[in-house]
Amino acid sequence: MTEMFPTNALARGLIRFGYRLQRPLLRRRLGRVVLERVDGVPILVLPEVFNGVLFRTGEMLARTVAASSLASPRSAPARALDLGTGSGIGAVFAARRGFQVVAADLNPDAVRCARLNALLNRLEDRIEVRQGDLFAPVAGETFDLVLFNPPFFQGTPRGPLDLAWRATDLLERTAAGLPAVLAPGGTALVVLSTDGEGKNLLAAFGAQGLASEAVAQRDYGNEIVTVYAVRRKEVR
């Protein structure tokens, strides 16, 4: 596991205090076109699209893709699926590792945003963006790598942007559908927070014969974000 931060009470209190001081600055990046950067890689975020840099989970998943041997193509052509792609940050970083990527999202603004980021990073030949619900856009296809930064909360979305935050039966459908899209030996990298329903999703993966292992974790004070590698359990 990488990037474990201190969790004692004093450290967590200082982190929370610093986060509160930053909130006015963070709000200025919401509801407008923003150009973010992750380790020098430009990511354009449109107003109705989840900002995975501002809210940290997309940035952490992207950095895991960039650094982890689990996200290294095993053979050519290797395929990746960026599920619920949002701005396309995961797709961009997977394409930079050498994958041919399908990025999918239900939000039409996210689809447009991901296409713009493929062009911005000159990766349009490696990234195909499709619109649709969860696995529907890739029915019958399999992938060596699946990336997912899911909605953390149960509930009915109140608009396109809220699709990134809450869903009704998405956790169950994700666990049920993931085995079918994983190629033999394939891995899914799923980012979860101590906020929301992460434990329920991990339990649902286990019920579907999938093993989950934490491969990156960071304590931000107000939440702990973990990237899990999810794979089929080995048969012995």
Side-chain angles (χ1 to χ4, degrees), residues 8-18 20:
N8 64 73
L10 177 59
R12 291 177 68 85
L14 290 172
I15 292 170
R16 287 194 183 97
F17 179 68
R20 284 197 296 271

Side-chain angles (χ1 to χ4, degrees), residues 44 49-50 82-89 103-105 107 109-115 117 129 164:
L44 182 73
V49 177
F50 176 76
D82 187 20
L83 201 60
T85 190
S87 65
I89 183 173
D105 205 294
N107 180 356
D109 290 316
V111 170
R112 187 167 83 253
C113 189
R115 286 174 178 158
N117 279 311
V129 188

Side-chain angles (χ1 to χ4, degrees), residues 4 20 26-27 30 74 154 156-157 180 213 219 222 230:
M4 176 69 79
R20 284 197 296 271
L26 297 178
R27 291 193 189 101
L30 293 173
R74 294 171 297 158
Q154 291 277 11
T156 303
E213 175 190 6
D219 187 340
N222 64 315
V230 182

Side-chain angles (χ1 to χ4, degrees), residues 6-199:
T7 57
N8 64 73
L10 177 59
R12 291 177 68 85
L14 290 172
I15 292 170
R16 287 194 183 97
F17 179 68
Y19 186 68
R20 284 197 296 271
L21 291 178
Q22 292 179 36
R23 281 180 180 174
L25 297 175
L26 297 178
R27 291 193 189 101
R28 295 177 189 173
R29 290 155 64 188
L30 293 173
R32 62 184 66 188
V33 177
V34 179
L35 183 63
E36 306 281 9
R37 289 189 180 273
V38 179
D39 299 334
V41 178
I43 300 293
L44 182 73
V45 184
L46 299 181
E48 291 300 315
V49 177
F50 176 76
N51 189 326
V53 179
L54 177 63
F55 293 105
R56 306 180 293 214
T57 52
E59 179 180 50
M60 186 167 174
L61 181 59
R63 285 178 170 157
T64 304
V65 171
S68 176
S69 61
L70 296 172
S72 179
R74 294 171 297 158
S75 60
R79 304 186 74 217
L81 169 63
D82 187 20
L83 201 60
T85 190
S87 65
I89 183 173
V92 166
F93 274 77
R96 285 168 57 87
R97 287 298 302 265
F99 287 91
Q100 288 295 138
V101 185
V102 175
D105 205 294
L106 185 58
N107 180 356
D109 290 316
V111 170
R112 187 167 83 253
C113 189
R115 286 174 178 158
L116 288 172
N117 279 311
L119 290 167
L120 178 63
N121 287 280
R122 299 180 180 179
L123 292 168
E124 63 271 21
D125 60 330
R126 287 189 171 274
I127 299 174
E128 178 189 356
V129 188
R130 305 176 189 175
Q131 183 178 357
D133 181 33
L134 204 58
F135 300 108
V138 294
E141 300 178 53
T142 59
F143 300 86
D144 304 284
L145 177 68
V146 177
L147 307 176
F148 196 26
N149 182 6
F152 292 156
F153 303 103
Q154 291 277 11
T156 303
R158 293 172 292 207
L161 179 57
D162 204 35
L163 290 167
W165 291 102
R166 70 193 80 248
T168 50
D169 60 348
L170 183 132
L171 299 184
E172 295 81 3
R173 292 192 296 125
T174 298
L178 183 59
V181 300
L182 279 177
T187 299
L189 294 177
V190 181
V191 59
L192 297 172
S193 167
T194 47
D195 290 342
E197 306 293 330
K199 289 183 179 180

Side-chain angles (χ1 to χ4, degrees), residues 217-236:
Q217 186 174 82
R218 184 164 181 175
D219 187 340
Y220 289 99
N222 64 315
E223 66 174 337
I224 298 173
V225 177
T226 306
V227 179
Y228 291 90
V230 182
R231 289 165 285 200
R232 291 187 181 88
K233 293 179 180 178
E234 294 183 8
V235 178
R236 297 179 181 178

